[in-house]
Amino acid sequence: MTMHTRWTICAAAALFSAPFLAPSAVFHAVTPVLAQGAGSPGATAAQPRPPVRAAAKRTGRTGKPAPAATAEQQQPPPRIPFTAAEDAASAIPGMPDARFWADSVDDFKNALPQQPGPWLILSSGGSDGAFGAGLLNGLTAAGKRPDYTVVTGVSTGALMAPFAFAGPRYDEALRKAYTTITAADVFEAGNTTGESFVDSWPLRDTIGKQMTPELFNDIAAEHRRGRRLFVVTTDLDSGRSVVWNMGAIAVHGGDDALKLFRSVLLASASVPGGFPPVMIDVEANGKRFQEMHVDGGLGGQFFVAPASLMASTSDYRLPTTQLYIVVNTGLQREFSVIDRFAPKILTQSIGMAVPVDTRLMLDRSYVAAKRSGVAFNVASIPASFNAPSRGPFDSDYMGALFQTGYEQGRSAAPFSAELPPEPGAPVQPSRIEKTGAK
């Protein structure tokens, strides 16, 4: 296999996964890299090449540009080898209650609150998370926002989940997080380690600014009250989803716990191949090593309970009083004549698959809620929303989507008790950026 062939396959793999999992800026950054690759057969002048929205250049502590990468910086350090058994038994040093496998029924049940209450489930969706942020703000304004006992988040849902969990006092911070962010706050084109096509240090820094010690302490206080905040990542080594008990991490307190908290959020939104993976220190039987964690969306667009408990053949009853699901992605079909160009073909293909996957998960959640005798509530981006986007993380587009969510939150019926209707014939797209789950 030639180096060019190997590079092309890796790029195609990143392109295939990006629209599923991560902020859509990743896809727009990776696409031109493939199109302009060394000797790429499809990279001709006739092919459209969307521009890379590169983030601001990295700067050092002095504010001056960081020095160019050295040869030693080109390769990430070698990993400490470990076995599947060691990974299965691994835990965060000093924080044994920080997480559990998403397929572990017993651990899931043990992590839940003792008292039932309403659950809030936040899906993936990239910059379209502005819808969910607006919806929560609108619910607060209308006085209809419950005190959710459990809040779960995947990908962009993970990034908004801490604000939602901490309560309405963080509504303004949530609004700013989804209406003032730009591509420069999310990624920088290029990566020196070879682990990804873009560098996510801007998103890491953004999370560091948003997840303040005050918010961290407030989350710990809510956990002590009996509420639970869960965020999902994917352990790429084992191929299993991991649920992080973010409130339990916050209760531990200290710099190490806050660092882990922020790292989990970054991992939950890090598309493999697009963004660098997040390496997390763990320990098993006295041996320390690092796991590789990436986007939680690999295991599903949102998380309610382990898959075995959600199955139609299960008799498990969800210990909640009401189930609220916020879908931060469009569920409608869009028509577009596709160029004979691999990135465009992959984009359209995944764009078709994501709503199907989301609808199947919604259907399973609907059945589980009915079986449990609890109310099912779902909110999704209305089919009528058609604001244009000038590119990834366009503040005008996100502001319009936030306002749409806000008005829906204030309305008489912010949630539907029924599944979203199946889409009809596709409509002409009015947005540059697709609204697939990312």
mmCIF file with all atom_site columns, all heavy atoms in Angstrom, residues 169-187:
data_model
loop_
_atom_site.group_PDB
_atom_site.id
_atom_site.type_symbol
_atom_site.label_atom_id
_atom_site.label_alt_id
_atom_site.label_comp_id
_atom_site.label_asym_id
_atom_site.label_entity_id
_atom_site.label_seq_id
_atom_site.pdbx_PDB_ins_code
_atom_site.Cartn_x
_atom_site.Cartn_y
_atom_site.Cartn_z
_atom_site.occupancy
_atom_site.B_iso_or_equiv
_atom_site.pdbx_formal_charge
_atom_site.auth_seq_id
_atom_site.auth_comp_id
_atom_site.auth_asym_id
_atom_site.auth_atom_id
_atom_site.pdbx_PDB_model_num
ATOM 1   N N   . ARG A 1 169 ? -29.777 29.933 36.596 1.00 0.00 ? 169 ARG A N   1
ATOM 2   C CA  . ARG A 1 169 ? -28.830 31.026 36.846 1.00 0.00 ? 169 ARG A CA  1
ATOM 3   C C   . ARG A 1 169 ? -27.698 31.027 35.816 1.00 0.00 ? 169 ARG A C   1
ATOM 4   O O   . ARG A 1 169 ? -26.995 32.030 35.669 1.00 0.00 ? 169 ARG A O   1
ATOM 5   C CB  . ARG A 1 169 ? -28.251 30.931 38.251 1.00 0.00 ? 169 ARG A CB  1
ATOM 6   C CG  . ARG A 1 169 ? -27.452 29.682 38.536 1.00 0.00 ? 169 ARG A CG  1
ATOM 7   C CD  . ARG A 1 169 ? -26.824 29.716 39.908 1.00 0.00 ? 169 ARG A CD  1
ATOM 8   N NE  . ARG A 1 169 ? -25.809 30.739 40.037 1.00 0.00 ? 169 ARG A NE  1
ATOM 9   C CZ  . ARG A 1 169 ? -24.923 30.779 41.016 1.00 0.00 ? 169 ARG A CZ  1
ATOM 10  N NH1 . ARG A 1 169 ? -24.967 29.866 41.978 1.00 0.00 ? 169 ARG A NH1 1
ATOM 11  N NH2 . ARG A 1 169 ? -24.017 31.714 41.066 1.00 0.00 ? 169 ARG A NH2 1
ATOM 12  N N   . TYR A 1 170 ? -27.535 29.893 35.081 1.00 0.00 ? 170 TYR A N   1
ATOM 13  C CA  . TYR A 1 170 ? -26.499 29.812 34.059 1.00 0.00 ? 170 TYR A CA  1
ATOM 14  C C   . TYR A 1 170 ? -27.064 29.930 32.649 1.00 0.00 ? 170 TYR A C   1
ATOM 15  O O   . TYR A 1 170 ? -26.378 29.638 31.674 1.00 0.00 ? 170 TYR A O   1
ATOM 16  C CB  . TYR A 1 170 ? -25.726 28.494 34.203 1.00 0.00 ? 170 TYR A CB  1
ATOM 17  C CG  . TYR A 1 170 ? -24.772 28.511 35.378 1.00 0.00 ? 170 TYR A CG  1
ATOM 18  C CD1 . TYR A 1 170 ? -25.154 27.993 36.608 1.00 0.00 ? 170 TYR A CD1 1
ATOM 19  C CD2 . TYR A 1 170 ? -23.511 29.082 35.261 1.00 0.00 ? 170 TYR A CD2 1
ATOM 20  C CE1 . TYR A 1 170 ? -24.295 28.026 37.698 1.00 0.00 ? 170 TYR A CE1 1
ATOM 21  C CE2 . TYR A 1 170 ? -22.645 29.120 36.341 1.00 0.00 ? 170 TYR A CE2 1
ATOM 22  C CZ  . TYR A 1 170 ? -23.041 28.589 37.560 1.00 0.00 ? 170 TYR A CZ  1
ATOM 23  O OH  . TYR A 1 170 ? -22.175 28.633 38.629 1.00 0.00 ? 170 TYR A OH  1
ATOM 24  N N   . ASP A 1 171 ? -28.309 30.385 32.541 1.00 0.00 ? 171 ASP A N   1
ATOM 25  C CA  . ASP A 1 171 ? -28.917 30.544 31.216 1.00 0.00 ? 171 ASP A CA  1
ATOM 26  C C   . ASP A 1 171 ? -28.150 31.535 30.346 1.00 0.00 ? 171 ASP A C   1
ATOM 27  O O   . ASP A 1 171 ? -27.983 31.320 29.136 1.00 0.00 ? 171 ASP A O   1
ATOM 28  C CB  . ASP A 1 171 ? -30.369 30.996 31.353 1.00 0.00 ? 171 ASP A CB  1
ATOM 29  C CG  . ASP A 1 171 ? -31.317 29.845 31.614 1.00 0.00 ? 171 ASP A CG  1
ATOM 30  O OD1 . ASP A 1 171 ? -30.834 28.700 31.745 1.00 0.00 ? 171 ASP A OD1 1
ATOM 31  O OD2 . ASP A 1 171 ? -32.540 30.074 31.683 1.00 0.00 ? 171 ASP A OD2 1
ATOM 32  N N   . GLU A 1 172 ? -27.698 32.632 30.911 1.00 0.00 ? 172 GLU A N   1
ATOM 33  C CA  . GLU A 1 172 ? -26.986 33.635 30.127 1.00 0.00 ? 172 GLU A CA  1
ATOM 34  C C   . GLU A 1 172 ? -25.649 33.087 29.645 1.00 0.00 ? 172 GLU A C   1
ATOM 35  O O   . GLU A 1 172 ? -25.240 33.322 28.508 1.00 0.00 ? 172 GLU A O   1
ATOM 36  C CB  . GLU A 1 172 ? -26.762 34.905 30.953 1.00 0.00 ? 172 GLU A CB  1
ATOM 37  C CG  . GLU A 1 172 ? -25.992 36.006 30.232 1.00 0.00 ? 172 GLU A CG  1
ATOM 38  C CD  . GLU A 1 172 ? -26.652 36.494 28.952 1.00 0.00 ? 172 GLU A CD  1
ATOM 39  O OE1 . GLU A 1 172 ? -27.847 36.189 28.723 1.00 0.00 ? 172 GLU A OE1 1
ATOM 40  O OE2 . GLU A 1 172 ? -25.981 37.192 28.176 1.00 0.00 ? 172 GLU A OE2 1
ATOM 41  N N   . ALA A 1 173 ? -24.962 32.332 30.486 1.00 0.00 ? 173 ALA A N   1
ATOM 42  C CA  . ALA A 1 173 ? -23.710 31.705 30.074 1.00 0.00 ? 173 ALA A CA  1
ATOM 43  C C   . ALA A 1 173 ? -23.957 30.700 28.954 1.00 0.00 ? 173 ALA A C   1
ATOM 44  O O   . ALA A 1 173 ? -23.163 30.594 28.005 1.00 0.00 ? 173 ALA A O   1
ATOM 45  C CB  . ALA A 1 173 ? -23.041 31.032 31.261 1.00 0.00 ? 173 ALA A CB  1
ATOM 46  N N   . LEU A 1 174 ? -25.063 29.968 29.040 1.00 0.00 ? 174 LEU A N   1
ATOM 47  C CA  . LEU A 1 174 ? -25.419 29.016 27.996 1.00 0.00 ? 174 LEU A CA  1
ATOM 48  C C   . LEU A 1 174 ? -25.723 29.741 26.692 1.00 0.00 ? 174 LEU A C   1
ATOM 49  O O   . LEU A 1 174 ? -25.301 29.300 25.613 1.00 0.00 ? 174 LEU A O   1
ATOM 50  C CB  . LEU A 1 174 ? -26.625 28.196 28.446 1.00 0.00 ? 174 LEU A CB  1
ATOM 51  C CG  . LEU A 1 174 ? -27.164 27.163 27.454 1.00 0.00 ? 174 LEU A CG  1
ATOM 52  C CD1 . LEU A 1 174 ? -26.104 26.121 27.114 1.00 0.00 ? 174 LEU A CD1 1
ATOM 53  C CD2 . LEU A 1 174 ? -28.417 26.476 28.025 1.00 0.00 ? 174 LEU A CD2 1
ATOM 54  N N   . ARG A 1 175 ? -26.446 30.860 26.780 1.00 0.00 ? 175 ARG A N   1
ATOM 55  C CA  . ARG A 1 175 ? -26.751 31.637 25.571 1.00 0.00 ? 175 ARG A CA  1
ATOM 56  C C   . ARG A 1 175 ? -25.469 32.111 24.903 1.00 0.00 ? 175 ARG A C   1
ATOM 57  O O   . ARG A 1 175 ? -25.290 31.969 23.679 1.00 0.00 ? 175 ARG A O   1
ATOM 58  C CB  . ARG A 1 175 ? -27.630 32.845 25.925 1.00 0.00 ? 175 ARG A CB  1
ATOM 59  C CG  . ARG A 1 175 ? -28.050 33.678 24.712 1.00 0.00 ? 175 ARG A CG  1
ATOM 60  C CD  . ARG A 1 175 ? -28.623 35.011 25.112 1.00 0.00 ? 175 ARG A CD  1
ATOM 61  N NE  . ARG A 1 175 ? -27.607 35.887 25.710 1.00 0.00 ? 175 ARG A NE  1
ATOM 62  C CZ  . ARG A 1 175 ? -26.713 36.584 25.000 1.00 0.00 ? 175 ARG A CZ  1
ATOM 63  N NH1 . ARG A 1 175 ? -26.698 36.507 23.668 1.00 0.00 ? 175 ARG A NH1 1
ATOM 64  N NH2 . ARG A 1 175 ? -25.831 37.345 25.616 1.00 0.00 ? 175 ARG A NH2 1
ATOM 65  N N   . LYS A 1 176 ? -24.554 32.664 25.673 1.00 0.00 ? 176 LYS A N   1
ATOM 66  C CA  . LYS A 1 176 ? -23.299 33.159 25.103 1.00 0.00 ? 176 LYS A CA  1
ATOM 67  C C   . LYS A 1 176 ? -22.486 32.029 24.480 1.00 0.00 ? 176 LYS A C   1
ATOM 68  O O   . LYS A 1 176 ? -21.844 32.208 23.442 1.00 0.00 ? 176 LYS A O   1
ATOM 69  C CB  . LYS A 1 176 ? -22.483 33.861 26.184 1.00 0.00 ? 176 LYS A CB  1
ATOM 70  C CG  . LYS A 1 176 ? -23.049 35.204 26.621 1.00 0.00 ? 176 LYS A CG  1
ATOM 71  C CD  . LYS A 1 176 ? -22.164 35.869 27.669 1.00 0.00 ? 176 LYS A CD  1
ATOM 72  C CE  . LYS A 1 176 ? -22.698 37.231 28.075 1.00 0.00 ? 176 LYS A CE  1
ATOM 73  N NZ  . LYS A 1 176 ? -21.849 37.871 29.110 1.00 0.00 ? 176 LYS A NZ  1
ATOM 74  N N   . ALA A 1 177 ? -22.522 30.865 25.110 1.00 0.00 ? 177 ALA A N   1
ATOM 75  C CA  . ALA A 1 177 ? -21.743 29.733 24.608 1.00 0.00 ? 177 ALA A CA  1
ATOM 76  C C   . ALA A 1 177 ? -22.189 29.312 23.216 1.00 0.00 ? 177 ALA A C   1
ATOM 77  O O   . ALA A 1 177 ? -21.383 28.789 22.438 1.00 0.00 ? 177 ALA A O   1
ATOM 78  C CB  . ALA A 1 177 ? -21.861 28.554 25.574 1.00 0.00 ? 177 ALA A CB  1
ATOM 79  N N   . TYR A 1 178 ? -23.460 29.565 22.879 1.00 0.00 ? 178 TYR A N   1
ATOM 80  C CA  . TYR A 1 178 ? -23.972 29.111 21.587 1.00 0.00 ? 178 TYR A CA  1
ATOM 81  C C   . TYR A 1 178 ? -24.333 30.245 20.626 1.00 0.00 ? 178 TYR A C   1
ATOM 82  O O   . TYR A 1 178 ? -24.826 29.968 19.534 1.00 0.00 ? 178 TYR A O   1
ATOM 83  C CB  . TYR A 1 178 ? -25.185 28.198 21.804 1.00 0.00 ? 178 TYR A CB  1
ATOM 84  C CG  . TYR A 1 178 ? -24.759 26.792 22.144 1.00 0.00 ? 178 TYR A CG  1
ATOM 85  C CD1 . TYR A 1 178 ? -24.573 26.401 23.463 1.00 0.00 ? 178 TYR A CD1 1
ATOM 86  C CD2 . TYR A 1 178 ? -24.513 25.865 21.141 1.00 0.00 ? 178 TYR A CD2 1
ATOM 87  C CE1 . TYR A 1 178 ? -24.162 25.118 23.775 1.00 0.00 ? 178 TYR A CE1 1
ATOM 88  C CE2 . TYR A 1 178 ? -24.108 24.577 21.441 1.00 0.00 ? 178 TYR A CE2 1
ATOM 89  C CZ  . TYR A 1 178 ? -23.926 24.208 22.759 1.00 0.00 ? 178 TYR A CZ  1
ATOM 90  O OH  . TYR A 1 178 ? -23.507 22.939 23.061 1.00 0.00 ? 178 TYR A OH  1
ATOM 91  N N   . THR A 1 179 ? -24.090 31.477 20.995 1.00 0.00 ? 179 THR A N   1
ATOM 92  C CA  . THR A 1 179 ? -24.390 32.579 20.074 1.00 0.00 ? 179 THR A CA  1
ATOM 93  C C   . THR A 1 179 ? -23.186 33.474 19.802 1.00 0.00 ? 179 THR A C   1
ATOM 94  O O   . THR A 1 179 ? -23.237 34.307 18.899 1.00 0.00 ? 179 THR A O   1
ATOM 95  C CB  . THR A 1 179 ? -25.536 33.453 20.606 1.00 0.00 ? 179 THR A CB  1
ATOM 96  O OG1 . THR A 1 179 ? -25.183 33.977 21.890 1.00 0.00 ? 179 THR A OG1 1
ATOM 97  C CG2 . THR A 1 179 ? -26.829 32.649 20.723 1.00 0.00 ? 179 THR A CG2 1
ATOM 98  N N   . THR A 1 180 ? -22.119 33.332 20.565 1.00 0.00 ? 180 THR A N   1
ATOM 99  C CA  . THR A 1 180 ? -20.941 34.176 20.355 1.00 0.00 ? 180 THR A CA  1
ATOM 100 C C   . THR A 1 180 ? -19.727 33.369 19.909 1.00 0.00 ? 180 THR A C   1
ATOM 101 O O   . THR A 1 180 ? -18.694 33.934 19.588 1.00 0.00 ? 180 THR A O   1
ATOM 102 C CB  . THR A 1 180 ? -20.575 34.944 21.639 1.00 0.00 ? 180 THR A CB  1
ATOM 103 O OG1 . THR A 1 180 ? -20.213 34.014 22.670 1.00 0.00 ? 180 THR A OG1 1
ATOM 104 C CG2 . THR A 1 180 ? -21.750 35.786 22.110 1.00 0.00 ? 180 THR A CG2 1
ATOM 105 N N   . ILE A 1 181 ? -19.824 32.048 19.868 1.00 0.00 ? 181 ILE A N   1
ATOM 106 C CA  . ILE A 1 181 ? -18.702 31.208 19.477 1.00 0.00 ? 181 ILE A CA  1
ATOM 107 C C   . ILE A 1 181 ? -18.459 31.293 17.977 1.00 0.00 ? 181 ILE A C   1
ATOM 108 O O   . ILE A 1 181 ? -19.385 31.524 17.195 1.00 0.00 ? 181 ILE A O   1
ATOM 109 C CB  . ILE A 1 181 ? -18.970 29.741 19.892 1.00 0.00 ? 181 ILE A CB  1
ATOM 110 C CG1 . ILE A 1 181 ? -17.696 28.914 19.837 1.00 0.00 ? 181 ILE A CG1 1
ATOM 111 C CG2 . ILE A 1 181 ? -20.055 29.120 19.025 1.00 0.00 ? 181 ILE A CG2 1
ATOM 112 C CD1 . ILE A 1 181 ? -17.841 27.537 20.418 1.00 0.00 ? 181 ILE A CD1 1
ATOM 113 N N   . THR A 1 182 ? -17.202 31.161 17.577 1.00 0.00 ? 182 THR A N   1
ATOM 114 C CA  . THR A 1 182 ? -16.828 31.138 16.162 1.00 0.00 ? 182 THR A CA  1
ATOM 115 C C   . THR A 1 182 ? -15.948 29.923 15.910 1.00 0.00 ? 182 THR A C   1
ATOM 116 O O   . THR A 1 182 ? -15.549 29.214 16.837 1.00 0.00 ? 182 THR A O   1
ATOM 117 C CB  . THR A 1 182 ? -16.055 32.403 15.773 1.00 0.00 ? 182 THR A CB  1
ATOM 118 O OG1 . THR A 1 182 ? -14.770 32.397 16.431 1.00 0.00 ? 182 THR A OG1 1
ATOM 119 C CG2 . THR A 1 182 ? -16.819 33.668 16.161 1.00 0.00 ? 182 THR A CG2 1
ATOM 120 N N   . ALA A 1 183 ? -15.615 29.692 14.636 1.00 0.00 ? 183 ALA A N   1
ATOM 121 C CA  . ALA A 1 183 ? -14.732 28.573 14.303 1.00 0.00 ? 183 ALA A CA  1
ATOM 122 C C   . ALA A 1 183 ? -13.392 28.696 15.007 1.00 0.00 ? 183 ALA A C   1
ATOM 123 O O   . ALA A 1 183 ? -12.763 27.698 15.361 1.00 0.00 ? 183 ALA A O   1
ATOM 124 C CB  . ALA A 1 183 ? -14.537 28.498 12.789 1.00 0.00 ? 183 ALA A CB  1
ATOM 125 N N   . ALA A 1 184 ? -12.943 29.933 15.219 1.00 0.00 ? 184 ALA A N   1
ATOM 126 C CA  . ALA A 1 184 ? -11.659 30.150 15.887 1.00 0.00 ? 184 ALA A CA  1
ATOM 127 C C   . ALA A 1 184 ? -11.681 29.691 17.332 1.00 0.00 ? 184 ALA A C   1
ATOM 128 O O   . ALA A 1 184 ? -10.621 29.487 17.930 1.00 0.00 ? 184 ALA A O   1
ATOM 129 C CB  . ALA A 1 184 ? -11.281 31.631 15.822 1.00 0.00 ? 184 ALA A CB  1
ATOM 130 N N   . ASP A 1 185 ? -12.871 29.527 17.903 1.00 0.00 ? 185 ASP A N   1
ATOM 131 C CA  . ASP A 1 185 ? -12.999 29.043 19.279 1.00 0.00 ? 185 ASP A CA  1
ATOM 132 C C   . ASP A 1 185 ? -13.090 27.523 19.345 1.00 0.00 ? 185 ASP A C   1
ATOM 133 O O   . ASP A 1 185 ? -13.196 26.958 20.437 1.00 0.00 ? 185 ASP A O   1
ATOM 134 C CB  . ASP A 1 185 ? -14.252 29.639 19.935 1.00 0.00 ? 185 ASP A CB  1
ATOM 135 C CG  . ASP A 1 185 ? -14.209 31.153 19.983 1.00 0.00 ? 185 ASP A CG  1
ATOM 136 O OD1 . ASP A 1 185 ? -13.202 31.696 20.439 1.00 0.00 ? 185 ASP A OD1 1
ATOM 137 O OD2 . ASP A 1 185 ? -15.195 31.778 19.540 1.00 0.00 ? 185 ASP A OD2 1
ATOM 138 N N   . VAL A 1 186 ? -13.057 26.861 18.192 1.00 0.00 ? 186 VAL A N   1
ATOM 139 C CA  . VAL A 1 186 ? -13.286 25.421 18.147 1.00 0.00 ? 186 VAL A CA  1
ATOM 140 C C   . VAL A 1 186 ? -12.077 24.651 17.620 1.00 0.00 ? 186 VAL A C   1
ATOM 141 O O   . VAL A 1 186 ? -11.697 23.628 18.172 1.00 0.00 ? 186 VAL A O   1
ATOM 142 C CB  . VAL A 1 186 ? -14.527 25.091 17.296 1.00 0.00 ? 186 VAL A CB  1
ATOM 143 C CG1 . VAL A 1 186 ? -14.752 23.584 17.204 1.00 0.00 ? 186 VAL A CG1 1
ATOM 144 C CG2 . VAL A 1 186 ? -15.764 25.783 17.866 1.00 0.00 ? 186 VAL A CG2 1
ATOM 145 N N   . PHE A 1 187 ? -11.460 25.117 16.542 1.00 0.00 ? 187 PHE A N   1
ATOM 146 C CA  . PHE A 1 187 ? -10.373 24.344 15.956 1.00 0.00 ? 187 PHE A CA  1
ATOM 147 C C   . PHE A 1 187 ? -9.369  25.248 15.249 1.00 0.00 ? 187 PHE A C   1
ATOM 148 O O   . PHE A 1 187 ? -9.648  26.393 14.927 1.00 0.00 ? 187 PHE A O   1
ATOM 149 C CB  . PHE A 1 187 ? -10.903 23.307 14.959 1.00 0.00 ? 187 PHE A CB  1
ATOM 150 C CG  . PHE A 1 187 ? -11.444 23.930 13.684 1.00 0.00 ? 187 PHE A CG  1
ATOM 151 C CD1 . PHE A 1 187 ? -10.644 24.077 12.562 1.00 0.00 ? 187 PHE A CD1 1
ATOM 152 C CD2 . PHE A 1 187 ? -12.752 24.366 13.611 1.00 0.00 ? 187 PHE A CD2 1
ATOM 153 C CE1 . PHE A 1 187 ? -11.126 24.662 11.397 1.00 0.00 ? 187 PHE A CE1 1
ATOM 154 C CE2 . PHE A 1 187 ? -13.264 24.947 12.455 1.00 0.00 ? 187 PHE A CE2 1
ATOM 155 C CZ  . PHE A 1 187 ? -12.436 25.092 11.335 1.00 0.00 ? 187 PHE A CZ  1
#
